[in-house]
Amino acid sequence: MQWKHLLWRYSRWILILTLLTDCVTLGRAMSHQILLLLAVLTLGLATSQLRDKVPCEMVNKQALCQGLGLLQVPSMLPRDIEALDLSGNQLRSILALPLGIYTVLRHLNLSSNEISFLQPGVFQALSHLEHLNLAHNHLALSTGGLGPLLHVKSLDLSGNSLYSGLVEQLLGEAPALRTLSLGENSLTRLARQTFWGTPALERLDLHSNVLMDIEDGAFEAMPHLTHLNLSRNSLTCISDFSLQQLRVLDLSCNSIEAFQMAPEPQAGYQLTWLDLRENKLLHFPDLAALPRLIYLNMSNNLIRLPAGTPQGDKAIQAPSKGLSALPLSNPSRNASTHPLSQLLNLDLSYNEIELVPEGFLEHLTSLRFLNLSRNCLRAFVAQRLGSLPCLMLLDISHNALETLELGTRALGSLRTLLLQDNALRYLPPHTFAGLASLQRLNLQGNRVSPCGGSVGPGPSGCVDFSGISSLRILNLVDNEMETLWAGAFLHTPLTELDLSYNPGLDVAMGALAGLEASLEVLALQGNGLEVLQIDLPCFSCLKLLNLAENRLSRLPAWTQTVSLEVLDLRNNSFSLLPSSAMGGLETSLRRLYLQGNPLSCCGNGWLAAQLHQGRVDVDATQDLICRFGSQEEVSLSHVRPEDCGKGGLKNVNLIIILTFALVSAVVLTMLATCCCIRQQKFNQQYKA
């Protein structure tokens, strides 16, 4: 049937051309006009042929025509397609024909074109259309609307430079619309009538506009709205918030200074997700009316929690202004009815919090993740029995902490504690012993010193890291540690231990005793070590060893019982890596770092074998430099065994020559001495 259709079309064009030729012979007065018409029709024939050969990809009932440089909607696609993707072309106008011939379309993607004109009622014939994407076009130049969209469920109008007032004109009637995206436009205001035509809307995206004002009642026409994105706008205040049906609200990246709930709501709020990060909030908002809230992000604001009673004080003062917003203790309430009692994630990082008031954390009984990093905290106290019983991650890093008090039966579920970059120095010895579930502890950038074993020595103010049976990962980088005492980690089955950048660290014999069967990662980088007093071959589970930036020149002899995969020896004093020491690693070692060592070209047979055979990945092999004695540096990968043989022969010859010269000098000296003595005797006899 396709070839018959094409034959009919070509015969029609031939007939028209024949008639036009006859007309030319009949009248010279109209010759110019006829020739012009002939040229236009010929161009139309060529365009029609090009259009009919559009190289769209057909997948089931989907026509994929994206990025083909099309100027109009193709007309020769199968009539029964259900999805048509025309994104990334050069369409400027959408007409009812030929689009209307695809009557069973459900998905239509017209995004990333140059559309500025929509024929009135262009989508009316598409009675099955459910998803329409017009994002990133020029609809702000359009004078018409979309017309009735009776069955469309999702509509994307983002990135069209739409301004306030034009949205109402475009939207029209869309009674079935569930999802609407108006992000990345130029809206400055939402009026009451903006969304009157979308009563079933559930998700509304208005991010990256210039919204400064939302008229009262602007969202009342959408009783089913559950997700609202107002991020990256210019809102300064949210007052009388009353969208009880809303579940997700994103207000991030605005200039909001206050968030206030409507007084005495008639129904319970359903909000579970609230994002207020990167605003200008000065106080923790009153969220007592949001009992279902599980995610709250207020990072990057200017929040200072009200003074109330500092942590650690026994007396409870009257709450100051704004403190009622916090989840403080109230004996008359059941724990499950307290504000934020269902909260799982609370992010208060990058604020100006100097202290956490008494009772602020007490009733966050469901909290799993708490982020207080990058504030101005000097103390953190959690000593009450059952405090934060479900907390799994606590981040107090990048503060000015000097005091840390953790109760023996508090934070019972805590697995990760991040304390890096604070000012912790003198802590109670058993600060972390009571954290029964602690698995990861980061103390980088403090001044913490581990004690010795149960009977070992330790400096005053040291912290005991032995006997913490749950701890697996410990970071003590840059703590100005001087000595790591014997038995420092007894009965603590660490898998990862980082002791890097403690210059001058003295690792005592037996300092890592008890870790032989568990340790997988050990880092001692940048400590200036000259000798290792650690029996590394005994650590059978060790997979990664970082000894970079020390002064080491030799390693212990590894055995084949070890499982070391990565060894970092950069910037040390190694000249030789003999097979007697390294041979035991051949079956397990996968990567070796050696840059910055004074390697010898000869005597490194084991290393040369790894380079040539590729069994071990040696970093930057082309730049790995070695020396022939005091001669020039060469690339180790270019050294051949015979080069070392020649060098050895030359050395032997040199030794023979030097020896001969030395013996000759001694003989000549002795002969000269004998001659002098005989001359003296002769002179004495002559005088006599």
Side-chain angles (χ1 to χ4, degrees):
M1 295 299 296
Q2 184 76 14
W3 68 269
K4 289 182 179 180
H5 178 74
L6 292 174
L7 181 60
W8 178 83
R9 293 189 60 154
Y10 279 111
S11 62
R12 184 182 63 178
W13 282 105
I14 292 172
L15 179 60
I16 293 173
L17 292 175
T18 304
L19 292 174
L20 288 174
T21 305
D22 292 341
C23 291
V24 171
T25 60
L26 291 176
R28 294 180 178 179
M30 300 179 62
S31 61
H32 295 292
Q33 291 82 351
I34 295 299
L35 289 174
L36 179 61
L37 179 60
L38 179 62
V40 171
L41 290 175
T42 304
L43 179 61
L45 175 61
T47 305
S48 176
Q49 292 175 348
L50 179 61
R51 183 177 66 243
D52 293 341
K53 296 180 180 179
V54 171
C56 294
E57 180 183 356
M58 296 301 303
V59 180
N60 296 327
K61 292 187 177 182
Q62 303 179 49
L64 307 178
C65 308
Q66 66 270 31
L68 298 178
L70 300 178
L71 299 176
Q72 55 185 331
V73 177
S75 62
M76 293 304 295
L77 298 172
R79 299 290 195 271
D80 62 344
I81 58 173
E82 296 181 358
L84 176 56
D85 188 350
L86 288 166
S87 61
N89 284 287
Q90 300 175 30
L91 306 180
R92 296 187 177 182
S93 60
I94 303 298
L95 306 178
L97 289 176
L99 183 61
I101 64 177
Y102 306 116
T103 55
V104 295
L105 268 182
R106 295 182 181 275
H107 298 258
L108 178 58
N109 188 347
L110 295 168
S111 63
S112 301
N113 279 279
E114 301 172 12
I115 301 171
S116 59
F117 175 75
L118 297 172
Q119 184 178 346
V122 64
F123 303 112
Q124 197 164 358
L126 307 179
S127 57
H128 295 86
L129 189 61
E130 295 181 353
H131 305 279
L132 176 58
N133 190 343
L134 284 162
H136 302 289
N137 280 286
H138 305 308
L139 295 182
L141 304 176
S142 176
T143 56
L146 300 177
L149 300 174
L150 301 181
H151 303 286
V152 174
K153 296 181 180 179
S154 69
L155 175 62
D156 193 343
L157 295 173
S158 58
N160 274 284
S161 301
L162 301 179
Y163 50 87
S164 299
L166 183 58
V167 174
E168 296 93 321
Q169 180 181 344
L170 273 175
L171 283 179
E173 185 181 359
L177 195 62
R178 301 288 190 272
T179 302
L180 174 61
S181 179
L182 290 167
E184 302 176 37
N185 281 293
S186 302
L187 304 177
T188 59
R189 188 173 184 271
L190 296 180
R192 288 179 60 90
Q193 67 273 17
T194 301
F195 303 107
W196 278 2
T198 58
L201 203 62
E202 297 175 356
R203 295 173 177 264
L204 177 58
D205 188 352
L206 290 160
H207 82 276
S208 302
N209 278 275
V210 202
L211 287 173
M212 294 181 286
D213 181 33
I214 300 177
E215 187 175 334
D216 290 342
F219 301 115
E220 288 182 357
M222 300 175 287
H224 304 288
L225 188 65
T226 59
H227 292 68
L228 178 58
N229 187 348
L230 289 166
S231 63
R232 299 188 182 279
N233 279 281
S234 301
L235 300 172
T236 58
C237 180
I238 301 296
S239 59
D240 296 332
F241 176 78
S242 59
L243 297 176
Q244 285 92 358
Q245 81 282 8
L246 206 62
R247 294 182 180 178
V248 176
L249 176 59
D250 190 346
L251 291 166
S252 62
C253 305
N254 280 274
S255 300
I256 298 173
E257 298 180 2
F259 180 91
Q260 298 176 352
M261 306 291 296
E264 299 181 0
Q266 297 179 354
Y269 285 91
Q270 304 297 313
L271 196 66
T272 61
W273 198 95
L274 177 58
D275 194 341
L276 286 164
R277 59 190 162 90
E278 295 187 47
N279 280 285
K280 297 180 180 179
L281 291 170
L282 299 175
H283 306 288
F284 195 99
D286 186 352
L287 303 176
L290 302 177
R292 300 177 184 269
L293 201 62
I294 61 174
Y295 176 91
L296 178 58
N297 190 338
M298 291 191 291
S299 61
N300 289 90
N301 279 278
L302 304 172
I303 294 175
R304 290 188 178 186
L305 296 180
T309 303
Q311 285 193 338
D313 290 359
K314 296 182 179 181
I316 300 179
Q317 302 174 4
S320 62
K321 182 179 180 181
L323 196 57
S324 60
L326 305 180
L328 298 178
S329 176
N330 187 339
S332 64
R333 290 185 178 182
N334 185 278
S336 62
T337 63
H338 278 281
L340 307 182
S341 62
Q342 302 299 313
L343 195 64
L344 300 179
N345 191 316
L346 175 58
D347 193 340
L348 288 167
S349 60
Y350 290 92
N351 278 284
E352 299 180 4
I353 300 172
E354 297 181 354
L355 58 87
V356 180
E358 175 74 20
F360 175 70
L361 303 174
E362 183 176 353
H363 291 287
L364 299 178
T365 53
S366 301
L367 198 64
R368 302 290 195 276
F369 306 97
L370 175 59
N371 191 347
L372 289 165
S373 65
R374 298 186 185 276
N375 278 280
C376 307
L377 289 171
R378 293 185 176 274
F380 183 85
V381 179
Q383 286 189 321
R384 292 191 178 185
L385 177 65
S387 179
L388 298 171
C390 296
L391 192 66
M392 300 173 65
L393 185 148
L394 175 58
D395 189 348
I396 328 177
S397 62
H398 302 279
N399 278 277
L401 281 181
E402 297 176 352
T403 302
L404 179 66
E405 299 180 12
L406 306 176
T408 55
R409 301 184 66 181
L411 305 174
S413 300
L414 190 66
R415 297 181 181 180
T416 301
L417 178 56
L418 305 179
L419 295 165
Q420 63 267 29
D421 295 311
N422 278 287
L424 297 173
R425 179 183 292 269
Y426 302 110
L427 295 177
H430 301 290
T431 297
F432 307 108
L435 303 178
S437 301
L438 187 63
Q439 297 179 2
R440 179 187 175 196
L441 176 59
N442 192 337
L443 285 162
Q444 178 175 343
N446 285 279
R447 298 295 178 266
V448 175
S449 296
C451 301
S454 56
V455 295
S460 60
C462 67
V463 177
D464 188 5
F465 291 104
S466 63
I468 307 178
S469 60
S470 61
L471 191 60
R472 297 293 181 269
I473 302 174
L474 177 59
N475 188 333
L476 289 169
V477 173
D478 187 23
N479 269 267
E480 296 186 2
M481 295 164 48
E482 297 179 356
T483 303
L484 189 64
W485 301 96
F489 308 108
L490 278 173
H491 309 299
T492 300
L494 294 174
T495 59
E496 297 184 21
L497 175 60
D498 198 338
L499 299 167
S500 302
Y501 296 108
N502 289 283
L505 177 64
D506 179 16
V507 181
M509 290 289 294
L512 303 185
L515 302 181
E516 293 86 353
S518 63
L519 198 61
E520 298 178 2
V521 177
L522 174 61
L524 290 163
Q525 180 174 355
N527 289 322
L529 299 175
E530 296 182 359
V531 178
L532 273 180
Q533 300 192 83
I534 305 171
D535 195 1
L536 291 174
C538 294
F539 290 78
S540 58
C541 297
L542 194 63
K543 297 185 183 331
L544 188 151
L545 176 60
N546 185 353
L547 296 171
E549 300 178 31
N550 284 288
R551 301 173 187 171
L552 299 171
S553 59
R554 64 176 58 187
L555 289 173
W558 298 92
T559 63
Q560 293 186 351
T561 59
V562 299
S563 55
L564 192 66
E565 297 178 0
V566 180
L567 177 59
D568 193 343
L569 299 174
R570 288 173 296 179
N571 299 318
N572 274 279
S573 301
F574 290 99
S575 59
L576 296 175
L577 291 177
S579 58
S580 59
M582 306 296 293
L585 297 178
E586 288 186 358
T587 58
S588 63
L589 195 62
R590 296 292 177 267
R591 184 166 297 178
L592 176 63
Y593 297 94
L594 276 171
Q595 286 183 331
N597 281 280
L599 295 172
S600 173
C601 294
C602 298
N604 272 315
W606 178 87
L607 182 57
Q610 309 312 311
L611 291 175
H612 290 294
Q613 298 174 12
R615 288 189 298 227
V616 178
D617 180 15
V618 182
D619 68 319
T621 55
Q622 297 301 320
D623 297 325
L624 200 56
I625 303 302
C626 66
R627 295 181 179 180
F628 282 109
S630 60
Q631 298 179 14
E632 294 183 0
E633 297 178 340
V634 298
S635 175
L636 182 59
S637 60
H638 296 160
V639 176
R640 298 170 299 176
E642 53 267 28
D643 296 334
C644 291
K646 292 177 182 178
L649 184 60
K650 291 179 180 178
N651 291 337
V652 171
N653 293 336
L654 180 61
I655 292 173
I656 293 174
I657 293 172
L658 291 176
T659 303
F660 178 77
L662 181 61
V663 172
S664 299
V666 171
V667 171
L668 290 174
T669 303
M670 292 177 64
L671 289 174
T673 304
C674 291
C675 290
C676 290
I677 292 174
R678 293 183 65 183
Q679 182 67 33
Q680 289 178 358
K681 289 182 177 180
F682 176 78
N683 292 336
Q684 290 176 357
Q685 292 176 356
Y686 179 77
K687 291 180 179 180

